[in-house]
Amino acid sequence: MTTLLKLEKISKRFGGITALKDVSLNIEAGEIHGLIGPNGAGKTTLFNIITGLYSPTHGNLDFKCCSLLGMKPHQVLKLGIARTFQNIRLFANMTALENVMVGRHARTQAGVIGAVLRNPRTRAEEAAIQHRARELLELVGIGSHRHTLAKHLSYGDQRRLEIARALATDPELLALDEPAAGMNPTERETLKQLIMSLRDQLGLSLLVIEHDVKFIMGMCNHISVLNFGEKIAEGSPQEVRHNPAVIDAYLGAEVT
């Protein structure tokens, strides 16, 4: 397999607090990689470093052999890494279609002049953006809600919309920050099937944060486990499930 994202000894300090310490991991092309750990383990901090919101205090990270050090979020996005957030960040008073179209504009060519003059090239590009946005809404299962304001969608559909908007940027790696947070069991199972279908249908690589191990055990190829900012285990779901350090981190209960 080809390594898509490589992290080497990533550390992050906030003043006197060490949020991450010497975390290394590889994400291979075409896999679903789970990143799990109890609340406060450093998962979101690591996500923020990968996507350019934070810079590491120490360490290196490469995406397709290109260093991400010093890159801003929009540069990381252009390179091919998109993300969702634990707290949903949608444009509440825009429709589902408009939200996805906003994400698609990260890949457009028309500049200010084209937007003002509305030349044929700009109009054609806007039509293509709308067409692709419709396709992505269908892909995540909410095509019938394309004209619904984001704030009027159910919680589960808002999560799907956020994924569709991220997909609109044509990522090679999609990073999902606790995508199942707040969902009921039925919604979580449906989301799991969607995530696996994105890998299979689009050839995407995915990095999925979760604190609930059971959610990702059945869909991930590889799992890394953080606790108190350090990687304490890594391997296949079966290996992680029976790892003593992981069992200890989850209050002594073996993951089933």
Side-chain angles (χ1 to χ4, degrees):
M1 296 183 71
T2 302
T3 298
L4 194 63
L5 180 69
K6 183 180 183 66
L7 279 66
E8 295 182 300
K9 294 187 176 298
I10 295 293
S11 296
K12 180 64 178 177
R13 293 180 61 84
F14 297 97
I17 299 174
T18 299
L20 293 170
K21 183 179 179 182
D22 293 334
V23 176
S24 297
L25 59 87
N26 291 345
I27 297 177
E28 308 297 332
E31 77 169 359
I32 302 176
H33 192 116
L35 182 64
I36 65 174
N39 290 329
K43 304 184 301 295
T44 296
T45 298
L46 189 62
F47 250 46
N48 288 338
I49 288 174
I50 292 170
T51 55
L53 288 174
Y54 296 161
S55 295
T57 305
H58 300 291
N60 295 301
L61 62 161
D62 297 327
F63 181 68
K64 299 188 298 183
C65 299
C66 177
S67 176
L68 299 181
L69 293 178
M71 282 195 178
K72 303 297 183 184
H74 71 278
Q75 295 172 315
V76 175
L77 182 66
K78 286 279 189 181
L79 198 61
I81 301 177
R83 71 168 293 175
T84 64
F85 292 85
Q86 182 176 351
N87 299 315
I88 296 174
R89 300 184 182 183
L90 296 171
F91 296 102
N93 291 309
M94 293 172 64
T95 66
L97 183 66
E98 290 167 339
N99 267 274
V100 180
M101 290 176 68
V102 167
R104 190 64 186 166
H105 277 286
R107 296 293 181 189
T108 59
Q109 302 298 319
V112 175
I113 294 177
V116 172
L117 297 180
R118 303 281 299 156
N119 55 49
R121 179 179 175 182
T122 300
R123 292 197 299 272
E125 189 173 59
E126 289 184 353
I129 290 170
Q130 185 173 124
H131 177 73
R132 182 55 176 159
R134 287 172 178 263
E135 287 182 335
L136 291 171
L137 288 172
E138 292 290 344
L139 179 65
V140 302
I142 55 171
S144 62
H145 297 305
R146 62 183 178 274
H147 296 307
T148 303
L149 294 181
K151 66 182 179 182
H152 292 152
L153 293 173
S154 69
Y155 183 82
D157 285 346
Q158 287 182 2
R159 287 285 183 189
R160 289 171 173 272
L161 176 56
E162 193 175 38
I163 291 173
R165 187 176 63 182
L167 291 173
T169 67
D170 288 340
E172 291 184 59
L173 175 63
L174 178 59
L176 305 176
D177 190 351
E178 300 211 17
M183 288 187 174
N184 62 44
T186 301
E187 290 173 328
R188 292 167 74 85
E189 181 58 31
T190 302
L191 177 63
K192 182 190 295 185
Q193 297 303 318
L194 171 61
I195 291 172
M196 290 190 292
S197 73
L198 295 179
R199 176 196 57 194
D200 298 338
Q201 294 183 38
L202 303 181
L204 271 180
S205 304
L206 296 103
L207 174 61
V208 185
I209 280 186
E210 259 301 329
H211 71 273
D212 185 345
V213 196
K214 295 179 181 179
F215 173 68
I216 62 175
M217 277 291 175
M219 69 177 181
C220 290
N221 308 101
H222 202 82
I223 298 173
S224 300
V225 188
L226 295 182
N227 195 27
F228 296 111
E230 297 186 61
K231 188 176 74 174
I232 61 170
E234 188 173 62
S236 68
Q238 185 70 10
E239 291 169 332
V240 168
R241 180 181 289 115
H242 300 295
N243 187 294
V246 178
I247 294 171
D248 184 63
Y250 282 87
L251 303 177
E254 186 166 345
V255 181
T256 59

PDB file of all heavy atoms in Angstrom, residues 58-70:
ATOM      1  N   HIS A  58       6.873  20.223  17.858  1.00  0.00           N
ATOM      2  CA  HIS A  58       7.957  19.420  17.296  1.00  0.00           C
ATOM      3  C   HIS A  58       7.353  18.387  16.360  1.00  0.00           C
ATOM      4  O   HIS A  58       6.181  18.049  16.458  1.00  0.00           O
ATOM      5  CB  HIS A  58       8.751  18.703  18.393  1.00  0.00           C
ATOM      6  CG  HIS A  58       9.386  19.600  19.394  1.00  0.00           C
ATOM      7  ND1 HIS A  58      10.440  20.434  19.101  1.00  0.00           N
ATOM      8  CD2 HIS A  58       9.096  19.811  20.704  1.00  0.00           C
ATOM      9  CE1 HIS A  58      10.786  21.116  20.180  1.00  0.00           C
ATOM     10  NE2 HIS A  58       9.986  20.763  21.168  1.00  0.00           N
ATOM     11  N   GLY A  59       8.181  17.865  15.470  1.00  0.00           N
ATOM     12  CA  GLY A  59       7.758  16.769  14.615  1.00  0.00           C
ATOM     13  C   GLY A  59       7.578  17.165  13.161  1.00  0.00           C
ATOM     14  O   GLY A  59       7.660  18.344  12.797  1.00  0.00           O
ATOM     15  N   ASN A  60       7.315  16.163  12.341  1.00  0.00           N
ATOM     16  CA  ASN A  60       7.127  16.365  10.909  1.00  0.00           C
ATOM     17  C   ASN A  60       5.858  15.661  10.454  1.00  0.00           C
ATOM     18  O   ASN A  60       5.477  14.625  11.000  1.00  0.00           O
ATOM     19  CB  ASN A  60       8.318  15.789  10.124  1.00  0.00           C
ATOM     20  CG  ASN A  60       9.612  16.518  10.419  1.00  0.00           C
ATOM     21  OD1 ASN A  60       9.720  17.726  10.201  1.00  0.00           O
ATOM     22  ND2 ASN A  60      10.610  15.794  10.919  1.00  0.00           N
ATOM     23  N   LEU A  61       5.225  16.230   9.436  1.00  0.00           N
ATOM     24  CA  LEU A  61       4.082  15.572   8.813  1.00  0.00           C
ATOM     25  C   LEU A  61       4.119  15.840   7.317  1.00  0.00           C
ATOM     26  O   LEU A  61       4.311  16.973   6.881  1.00  0.00           O
ATOM     27  CB  LEU A  61       2.753  15.987   9.437  1.00  0.00           C
ATOM     28  CG  LEU A  61       2.280  17.432   9.384  1.00  0.00           C
ATOM     29  CD1 LEU A  61       0.768  17.495   9.633  1.00  0.00           C
ATOM     30  CD2 LEU A  61       2.972  18.297  10.424  1.00  0.00           C
ATOM     31  N   ASP A  62       3.973  14.767   6.559  1.00  0.00           N
ATOM     32  CA  ASP A  62       4.016  14.835   5.101  1.00  0.00           C
ATOM     33  C   ASP A  62       2.755  14.230   4.517  1.00  0.00           C
ATOM     34  O   ASP A  62       2.286  13.178   4.975  1.00  0.00           O
ATOM     35  CB  ASP A  62       5.222  14.063   4.554  1.00  0.00           C
ATOM     36  CG  ASP A  62       6.552  14.656   4.998  1.00  0.00           C
ATOM     37  OD1 ASP A  62       6.626  15.879   5.164  1.00  0.00           O
ATOM     38  OD2 ASP A  62       7.507  13.879   5.192  1.00  0.00           O
ATOM     39  N   PHE A  63       2.223  14.883   3.484  1.00  0.00           N
ATOM     40  CA  PHE A  63       1.070  14.369   2.744  1.00  0.00           C
ATOM     41  C   PHE A  63       1.505  14.191   1.299  1.00  0.00           C
ATOM     42  O   PHE A  63       1.915  15.153   0.643  1.00  0.00           O
ATOM     43  CB  PHE A  63      -0.100  15.345   2.840  1.00  0.00           C
ATOM     44  CG  PHE A  63      -1.334  14.888   2.116  1.00  0.00           C
ATOM     45  CD1 PHE A  63      -2.055  13.798   2.567  1.00  0.00           C
ATOM     46  CD2 PHE A  63      -1.782  15.561   0.987  1.00  0.00           C
ATOM     47  CE1 PHE A  63      -3.197  13.371   1.907  1.00  0.00           C
ATOM     48  CE2 PHE A  63      -2.927  15.147   0.321  1.00  0.00           C
ATOM     49  CZ  PHE A  63      -3.634  14.043   0.780  1.00  0.00           C
ATOM     50  N   LYS A  64       1.469  12.964   0.819  1.00  0.00           N
ATOM     51  CA  LYS A  64       1.964  12.648  -0.523  1.00  0.00           C
ATOM     52  C   LYS A  64       3.393  13.158  -0.706  1.00  0.00           C
ATOM     53  O   LYS A  64       3.733  13.736  -1.740  1.00  0.00           O
ATOM     54  CB  LYS A  64       1.031  13.227  -1.596  1.00  0.00           C
ATOM     55  CG  LYS A  64      -0.383  12.683  -1.544  1.00  0.00           C
ATOM     56  CD  LYS A  64      -1.209  13.143  -2.730  1.00  0.00           C
ATOM     57  CE  LYS A  64      -1.355  14.657  -2.770  1.00  0.00           C
ATOM     58  NZ  LYS A  64      -2.226  15.088  -3.886  1.00  0.00           N
ATOM     59  N   CYS A  65       4.202  12.962   0.323  1.00  0.00           N
ATOM     60  CA  CYS A  65       5.628  13.351   0.315  1.00  0.00           C
ATOM     61  C   CYS A  65       5.831  14.866   0.293  1.00  0.00           C
ATOM     62  O   CYS A  65       6.941  15.342   0.038  1.00  0.00           O
ATOM     63  CB  CYS A  65       6.374  12.714  -0.849  1.00  0.00           C
ATOM     64  SG  CYS A  65       6.372  10.895  -0.797  1.00  0.00           S
ATOM     65  N   CYS A  66       4.777  15.641   0.568  1.00  0.00           N
ATOM     66  CA  CYS A  66       4.885  17.094   0.640  1.00  0.00           C
ATOM     67  C   CYS A  66       4.706  17.514   2.102  1.00  0.00           C
ATOM     68  O   CYS A  66       3.712  17.146   2.734  1.00  0.00           O
ATOM     69  CB  CYS A  66       3.821  17.743  -0.233  1.00  0.00           C
ATOM     70  SG  CYS A  66       3.810  19.557  -0.165  1.00  0.00           S
ATOM     71  N   SER A  67       5.647  18.273   2.645  1.00  0.00           N
ATOM     72  CA  SER A  67       5.570  18.681   4.041  1.00  0.00           C
ATOM     73  C   SER A  67       4.380  19.623   4.266  1.00  0.00           C
ATOM     74  O   SER A  67       4.163  20.559   3.485  1.00  0.00           O
ATOM     75  CB  SER A  67       6.863  19.381   4.460  1.00  0.00           C
ATOM     76  OG  SER A  67       6.749  19.869   5.795  1.00  0.00           O
ATOM     77  N   LEU A  68       3.640  19.384   5.332  1.00  0.00           N
ATOM     78  CA  LEU A  68       2.525  20.257   5.702  1.00  0.00           C
ATOM     79  C   LEU A  68       2.939  21.326   6.705  1.00  0.00           C
ATOM     80  O   LEU A  68       2.123  22.182   7.066  1.00  0.00           O
ATOM     81  CB  LEU A  68       1.379  19.429   6.297  1.00  0.00           C
ATOM     82  CG  LEU A  68       0.749  18.364   5.398  1.00  0.00           C
ATOM     83  CD1 LEU A  68      -0.373  17.652   6.139  1.00  0.00           C
ATOM     84  CD2 LEU A  68       0.229  18.973   4.106  1.00  0.00           C
ATOM     85  N   LEU A  69       4.171  21.285   7.162  1.00  0.00           N
ATOM     86  CA  LEU A  69       4.627  22.255   8.158  1.00  0.00           C
ATOM     87  C   LEU A  69       4.525  23.675   7.602  1.00  0.00           C
ATOM     88  O   LEU A  69       5.002  23.969   6.507  1.00  0.00           O
ATOM     89  CB  LEU A  69       6.073  21.969   8.565  1.00  0.00           C
ATOM     90  CG  LEU A  69       6.318  20.672   9.341  1.00  0.00           C
ATOM     91  CD1 LEU A  69       7.802  20.495   9.633  1.00  0.00           C
ATOM     92  CD2 LEU A  69       5.516  20.654  10.634  1.00  0.00           C
ATOM     93  N   GLY A  70       3.884  24.542   8.378  1.00  0.00           N
ATOM     94  CA  GLY A  70       3.748  25.939   7.985  1.00  0.00           C
ATOM     95  C   GLY A  70       2.591  26.227   7.061  1.00  0.00           C
ATOM     96  O   GLY A  70       2.319  27.388   6.742  1.00  0.00           O
TER      97      GLY A  70
END
